[in-house]
Amino acid sequence: MIKQLQKLSRRKKYFLGFLFCTGLMGYALFAQYFLNLEPCPLCIFQRVAVLVMGIIFLAFSLHEPKSNLAKLISSILFVISGSFGVSVASRHVWLQNLPSDQVPGCGPGLDFMMSTFPINEVFQMVFNGSGECANVDWSFLSLSMPAWVIICSLFMIAYAIWINFGPDS
C-alpha cells in the first residue's frame, strides 16, 4: 500500500489528507447528531484543529508547494495546527483521567462563553476544563475520542512532512 501511495502525485497525497480530515469531521458530526454525543468545549476546539488541517491539505492539493521554502512553510503550518489539536486533546484526556473528586465543576456552554466573555477569557475557561469534558461517553479499542484525535493529529503531521520531504518530494 505504501508503494502505491508513493506513486501518487503530491497533489493527490494532499487530497488524501483532506479526505482523511473530512472523514474525521464526518464521524464527529455523526457522533453528535446520530449517537447524540454533545461535544464539550474542548471537543469543539479539537474539531477546529482538524478543520484547519483539512483546509491546509485542500489548499495544497490545489496549489502544491514546489520550492523547499514553500515545503518548509507548509510543514510548519501542519505542525502548528496539528500541535494545537494534540495539545487540546491531551488536556482533554488528562481531564478524563482525573480522579472524580478532582474533576472541575461543569461550566457554561461554549456559545454562552463566546457571546459573554472576551476571547482570551473564553480560551482560559475552556482550557481550565469543566465537568462535561471529563466524561468518557465513547471509546474504541479502550481509547476515548480525544485520544484518537491525538493519534490522528500526530499521523497527519507526519504524513504532511512525508509528503513534503519524503521520497519523490
Side-chain angles (χ1 to χ4, degrees), residues 130-165:
S130 62
E132 70 268 14
C133 292
N135 294 337
V136 178
D137 298 323
W138 178 97
S139 67
F140 177 68
L141 298 176
S142 74
L143 295 174
S144 66
M145 205 172 290
W148 283 106
V149 171
I150 293 169
I151 292 167
C152 291
S153 295
L154 290 172
F155 168 77
M156 288 185 287
I157 292 169
Y159 178 68
I161 292 171
W162 175 77
I163 292 172
N164 286 325
F165 298 108

Side-chain angles (χ1 to χ4, degrees), residues 10-73:
R10 289 179 58 233
R11 289 179 128 182
K12 289 179 182 176
K13 291 174 190 173
Y14 278 121
F15 192 71
L16 283 176
F18 167 73
L19 291 178
F20 184 75
C21 292
T22 302
L24 290 175
M25 284 306 303
Y27 187 78
L29 294 172
F30 172 80
Q32 179 177 351
Y33 293 109
F34 292 97
L35 301 179
N36 297 317
L37 300 176
E38 276 304 310
C40 72
L42 289 175
C43 294
I44 300 295
F45 282 124
Q46 290 168 63
R47 288 181 184 188
V48 169
V50 171
L51 278 171
V52 168
M53 289 187 86
I55 290 168
I56 295 169
F57 273 120
L58 180 61
F60 290 132
S61 74
L62 298 173
H63 184 75
E64 76 173 279
K66 294 190 190 295
S67 72
N68 284 335
L69 179 61
K71 291 177 185 179
L72 179 64
I73 291 170

